[in-house]
Amino acid sequence: MNRRTATRRSFLKMSAALGAAPWIVPSSVFGANAPSNRVNVAHLGVGGRASALIGMFVQHDDVQIVALCDCFRNRREDMREKLNAKYGGDVVKAYADFREVLARDDIDAVVIATPDHWHVPLAVAAARAGKDMYVEKPLGVSMPWAERLRSELKTARRVFQYGTQQRSAARFRVACELVRNGYIGEIQRVEAWCPDMSTQFDGFTVKPYGSTEPSEPPEGFDYDMWLGPAPEKPYTVDRCTPLGAYHIYDYALGFIAGWGAHPLDIAQWGLGRDHTSPVYYAGTGEIPAGGLCDSVESWDVHCEYEDGLPMRFMGSRVAEPVVSAYRKWVDHGTTFFGSDGWVSVDRSGMVTSDPRLADIKLTPNEVHLKVSAGQERDFIDCVKSREETINPLESAIRSDAISHLSDLAIRVNRPIRWDPRRERVDGDRRAARRLWRSLRAPWNLKKPMITEGWEA
């Protein structure tokens, strides 16, 4: 079984484990919960991962999906027909332009599952339009953009959920509670790892890094809108695919962020450090020299928090011999090493140095982390209650920073020192400037719903 097949099979198992529900609309969707108690939701992005999110939201009887937006006409129209068949009427409208969606005053919340370079601009637009938002990971491609989102959300007082999923799975919560309550002693180090680009080499039309040959975009695809704030480049058959969107640096940081968001988020949660990030980053990585893909392909980064706690962040090829030395190999996970043992957690389960750790029952006076029935369920509940979600914006910004600064240390080939209070690179202005990305016109003009005041 090749690496890509294994990864796809594990992905399908992960999706099931994390609540990727079948498309079942309960009869109560037309009963006691209709219509005043329902949350009206719009999905910005329909293909790939976005389709799974639609399946998660549509199962809840207090949610009504009323709008879809996507740059591919066939995707949005096919999904509209599928949802309307489920709802039994002309409930869902399809749009090519997200601004038409945000202008609707009957929409309470949006689910943003576009390519990464659109995440923060759309979230800012949603905040300004008065919508709550569920934003797929990773947060974005520019750290200063995320800081602007924080400001916009504070002003608009909107609910934000980061779509990392894992905090809503019991095994991750239990592992983090063991760490928080001292059951493995004083934490001495952390390891976090995830699949790297090699797991997807076989997916490109031109292998391993994608076709650079210009071609015509398919009919019904708004390529200019898909690019949005990203630089203008010729269309190719591999550019606007999920793999292109994952691994081309104009649109994403690669799996160092897109997959890394998962184990890093759990590292932060277990350590109780959603308010901060490591202060030191040094490591190595590889970037393809040809083809479309120019994000970091493989990496090994050593980080350190302000109190001296070390964390090692690795791609799967680097991590396999390291992790296999103490536990059965899984291509993603987070391990906390303490003075009295260790606990390691991934989507297949929790592994500990002492099997008795799995049987511990917390006392009422110990740290109990939030229990969630699902990332989307928690979001909907918080839209109603106006309480903080299990993955609020600050958790997204702080864990996302680890990916950005790891990527930066690799690209400049020198250590990066980070001030988490000021959220600035210390003593390296040339490196710091690389964290900012300009937005392509017209998205960098003073548009009231998007980029007003964004340019430095």
Side-chain angles (χ1 to χ4, degrees):
M1 181 170 60
N2 65 35
R3 185 183 297 267
R4 181 169 175 262
T5 302
T7 300
R8 174 163 176 76
R9 288 184 181 176
S10 62
F11 171 79
L12 294 173
K13 292 179 182 178
M14 294 170 202
S15 297
L18 289 170
W23 283 37
I24 300 172
V25 180
S27 59
S28 57
V29 81
F30 302 109
N33 288 319
S36 59
N37 292 328
R38 286 201 304 250
V39 176
N40 285 340
V41 173
H43 285 259
L44 307 181
V46 169
R49 172 64 184 159
S51 178
L53 287 171
I54 291 171
M56 290 162 60
F57 275 86
V58 78
Q59 69 176 316
H60 297 289
D61 61 3
D62 57 347
V63 171
Q64 182 90 72
I65 299 174
V66 298
L68 305 168
C69 185
D70 199 280
C71 294
F72 288 87
R73 183 175 60 210
N74 62 327
R75 288 181 185 173
R76 63 180 183 261
E77 292 297 336
D78 288 349
M79 187 63 72
R80 180 185 64 82
E81 291 180 8
K82 185 176 182 180
L83 284 171
N84 280 333
K86 290 291 184 182
Y87 285 134
D90 189 20
V91 174
V92 185
K93 306 298 182 185
Y95 298 85
D97 191 325
F98 68 90
R99 289 167 292 193
E100 295 181 53
V101 177
L102 297 181
R104 285 180 53 171
D105 59 10
D106 64 329
I107 291 174
D108 304 303
V110 297
V111 178
I112 298 172
T114 60
D116 299 355
H117 68 290
W118 264 119
H119 285 181
V120 173
L122 288 176
V124 169
R128 291 177 176 176
K131 315 300 184 188
D132 298 323
M133 67 202 70
Y134 180 110
V135 181
E136 182 64 6
K137 56 76 199 167
L139 187 56
V141 297
S142 172
M143 291 180 69
W145 295 10
E147 293 171 16
R148 174 51 60 91
L149 176 57
R150 179 196 279 135
S151 175
E152 296 286 350
L153 276 177
K154 183 177 180 180
T155 299
R157 301 178 69 181
R158 294 295 94 197
V159 171
F160 177 97
Q161 178 75 293
Y162 194 33
T164 61
Q165 303 295 315
Q166 292 185 166
R167 291 194 185 193
S168 293
R171 65 183 67 89
F172 292 99
R173 185 188 74 253
V174 170
C176 290
E177 287 174 337
L178 291 174
V179 174
R180 292 274 198 108
N181 289 293
Y183 282 100
I184 60 172
E186 183 179 355
I187 303 304
Q188 298 178 333
R189 62 188 177 91
V190 181
E191 289 178 356
W193 69 98
C194 66
D196 62 30
M197 194 192 298
S198 66
T199 62
Q200 298 199 313
F201 285 163
D202 290 344
F204 291 98
T205 302
V206 175
K207 301 172 180 57
Y209 300 117
S211 171
T212 59
E213 185 68 26
S215 60
E216 287 297 316
E219 184 181 356
F221 172 48
D222 188 340
Y223 179 48
D224 188 66
M225 179 64 84
W226 190 95
L227 288 174
E232 186 172 2
K233 299 287 178 65
Y235 176 85
T236 83
V237 294
D238 283 314
R239 183 175 293 279
C240 300
T241 64
L243 301 193
Y246 289 156
H247 302 300
I248 297 173
Y249 200 62
D250 284 341
Y251 322 124
L253 268 66
F255 270 7
I256 197 171
W259 235 114
H262 293 299
L264 293 175
D265 178 65
I266 295 304
Q268 292 276 100
W269 202 32
L271 296 173
R273 303 196 183 195
D274 278 352
H275 62 289
T276 190
S277 306
V279 299
Y280 177 81
Y281 302 80
T284 58
E286 298 179 11
I287 299 173
L292 281 179
C293 298
D294 52 356
S295 62
V296 172
E297 176 189 312
S298 177
W299 65 93
D300 185 6
V301 178
H302 294 264
C303 313
E304 189 174 293
Y305 287 92
E306 192 170 20
D307 61 359
L309 179 69
M311 178 167 67
R312 188 175 183 184
F313 177 33
M314 299 169 282
S316 51
R317 279 176 289 176
V318 172
E320 185 166 5
V322 176
V323 175
S324 297
Y326 63 86
R327 57 154 292 177
K328 182 180 179 181
W329 168 245
V330 178
D331 66 4
H332 65 283
T334 308
T335 305
F336 302 90
F337 295 89
S339 56
D340 298 329
W342 54 265
V343 57
S344 186
V345 64
D346 59 75
R347 295 182 182 181
S348 67
M350 184 178 74
V351 185
T352 60
S353 56
D354 183 343
R356 291 174 296 180
L357 289 170
D359 298 324
I360 287 174
K361 305 298 182 184
L362 300 182
T363 66
N365 293 328
E366 291 184 297
V367 175
H368 290 255
L369 297 174
K370 184 175 183 179
V371 177
S372 166
Q375 207 83 350
E376 83 292 346
R377 181 66 257 172
D378 178 69
F379 173 61
I380 294 300
D381 290 341
C382 291
V383 168
K384 294 179 176 183
S385 69
R386 313 312 294 170
E387 294 178 358
E388 187 173 79
T389 63
I390 196 169
N391 252 135
L393 179 62
E394 201 62 26
S395 73
I397 289 176
R398 298 299 185 164
S399 63
D400 205 49
I402 303 173
S403 294
H404 281 270
L405 295 165
S406 296
D407 177 81
L408 182 61
I410 292 167
R411 289 181 180 275
V412 300
N413 195 30
R414 56 182 179 270
I416 295 295
R417 296 190 180 276
W418 177 249
D419 182 341
R421 294 180 181 84
R422 296 172 56 246
E423 294 182 292
R424 296 291 182 269
V425 173
D426 276 338
D428 194 336
R429 295 182 65 184
R430 290 181 62 187
R433 283 196 291 268
R434 298 178 71 119
L435 294 175
W436 169 260
R437 297 201 191 192
S438 296
L439 293 89
R440 185 176 67 104
W443 308 109
N444 61 355
L445 301 179
K446 291 187 176 181
K447 299 279 185 180
M449 291 176 61
I450 292 293
T451 58
E452 183 176 15
W454 275 39
E455 285 292 4

